[in-house]
């Protein structure tokens, strides 16, 4: 088993310590940081995603894998060149105004980071104005909104309206998700896509980046 395979396996197993050890060893051996990311760290999450989608892994296990991935990324990120960093797409993510749920959001953030995105996590109870300011500041390719309560679903409409009024709607793709949502609602409020779960959000985001 190569070091890349060992690193991928350690991410999949959610073994923080092993991920740190292998990552540091590969850096010391002169392996290119971007190769460590793509062939080792992200490859580990490529094992996780289909297993989660198939019901073979559950949210606590996925979050352990994602945490291990984050440990490795924190070591490698400072070593990435400006060129590598420029190729990373930014994703602004938040739970909409009035909603304090964050488990689903946190999982989406972790999986997006595992897909190579630079995620700006705005947290929970995020106002439309805060989304607009984040778009102005970070210039993301994609904006993601989630809600777990039926009473907060319409905050997504308010947020999209605010983004439109700010003249920014044509600059970003908007993805929405959460337990009470459904595809027709996403279409009705003018979102670009509905994500049934965290894995589909990652896959849809990757397609958006690849096609633009």
């Amino acid at each position: 088993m190569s070091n890349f395979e060992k690193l991928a396996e350690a991410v999949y197993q959610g073994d923080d310590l092993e991920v740190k050890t292998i990552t540091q060893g590969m850096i010391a051996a002169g392996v290119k940081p971007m190769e460590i990311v793509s062939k080792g760290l992200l490859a580990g999450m490529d094992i996780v995603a289909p297993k989660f989608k198939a019901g073979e892994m559950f949210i606590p296990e996925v979050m352990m894998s994602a945490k291990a991935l984050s440990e490795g990324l924190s070591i490698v990120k400072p070593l990435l060149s400006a060129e590598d960093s420029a190729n990373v797409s930014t994703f602004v993510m938040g739970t909409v105004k009035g909603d304090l749920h964050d488990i689903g959001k946190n999982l989406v953030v972790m999986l997006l980071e595992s897909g190579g995105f630079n995620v700006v996590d705005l947290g929970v109870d995020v106002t439309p104005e805060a989304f607009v300011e984040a778009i102005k500041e970070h210039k993301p390719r994609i904006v993601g909104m989630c809600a777990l309560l039926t009473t907060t679903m319409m905050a997504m409409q308010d947020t999209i309206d605010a983004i439109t009024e700010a003249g920014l709607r044509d600059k970003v793709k908007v993805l929405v998700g959460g337990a009470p949502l459904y595809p027709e609602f996403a279409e009705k409020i003018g979102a670009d896509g509905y994500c049934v779960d965290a894995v589909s959000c990652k896959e849809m985001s990757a397609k958006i980046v690849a096609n633009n």
Side-chain angles (χ1 to χ4, degrees):
M1 187 181 286
S2 71
N3 283 334
F4 289 122
E5 291 169 328
K6 288 177 183 175
L7 183 54
E9 180 68 16
V11 169
Y12 164 55
Q13 296 293 342
D15 190 336
D16 295 18
L17 185 59
E18 186 70 0
V19 167
K20 284 183 180 179
T21 301
I22 296 172
T23 300
Q24 289 167 339
M26 292 174 82
I27 289 170
V31 180
K32 291 180 179 178
M34 201 60 202
E35 286 192 357
I36 296 174
V37 173
S38 61
K39 296 181 181 179
L41 296 170
L42 300 188
M45 289 306 288
D46 285 341
I47 301 171
V48 172
K51 287 183 178 293
F52 175 63
K53 202 167 187 178
E56 296 172 19
M57 289 182 74
F58 300 97
I59 286 178
E61 297 166 305
V62 174
M63 294 187 83
M64 283 178 62
S65 297
K67 183 174 179 294
L69 166 86
S70 297
E71 294 287 352
L73 286 176
S74 67
I75 296 170
V76 177
K77 272 185 177 178
L79 305 175
L80 293 175
S81 68
E83 182 179 350
D84 290 330
S85 299
N87 291 329
V88 175
S89 294
T90 297
F91 190 115
V92 164
M93 182 73 197
T95 301
V96 293
K97 183 179 179 182
D99 205 314
L100 301 176
H101 294 87
D102 67 353
I103 293 177
K105 173 188 67 65
N106 292 346
L107 183 57
V108 170
V109 169
M110 288 176 172
L111 288 184
L112 286 169
E113 288 179 338
S114 80
F117 283 89
N118 170 39
V119 182
V120 179
D121 185 356
L122 302 180
V124 300
D125 193 20
V126 184
T127 65
E129 295 75 20
F131 273 106
V132 169
E133 288 307 310
I135 294 169
K136 289 178 179 177
E137 179 181 352
H138 300 286
K139 298 178 173 55
R141 297 282 292 279
I142 308 170
V143 173
M145 293 182 274
C146 60
L148 195 66
L149 304 173
T150 54
T151 52
T152 59
M153 288 168 61
M154 290 313 298
M156 292 180 167
Q157 176 77 77
D158 296 338
T159 303
I160 290 175
D161 288 346
I163 293 170
T164 302
E165 288 167 14
L168 300 169
R169 185 63 186 89
D170 62 343
K171 299 184 185 304
V172 295
K173 296 291 186 182
V174 176
L175 302 181
V176 297
L181 273 68
Y182 47 93
E184 292 78 12
F185 175 78
E187 186 176 348
K188 179 182 176 183
I189 65 174
D192 294 296
Y194 160 71
C195 304
V196 67
D197 58 26
V199 171
S200 68
C201 182
K202 176 185 172 183
E203 291 173 347
M204 198 176 294
S205 300
K207 286 180 182 176
I208 289 171
V209 170
N211 294 331
N212 285 274

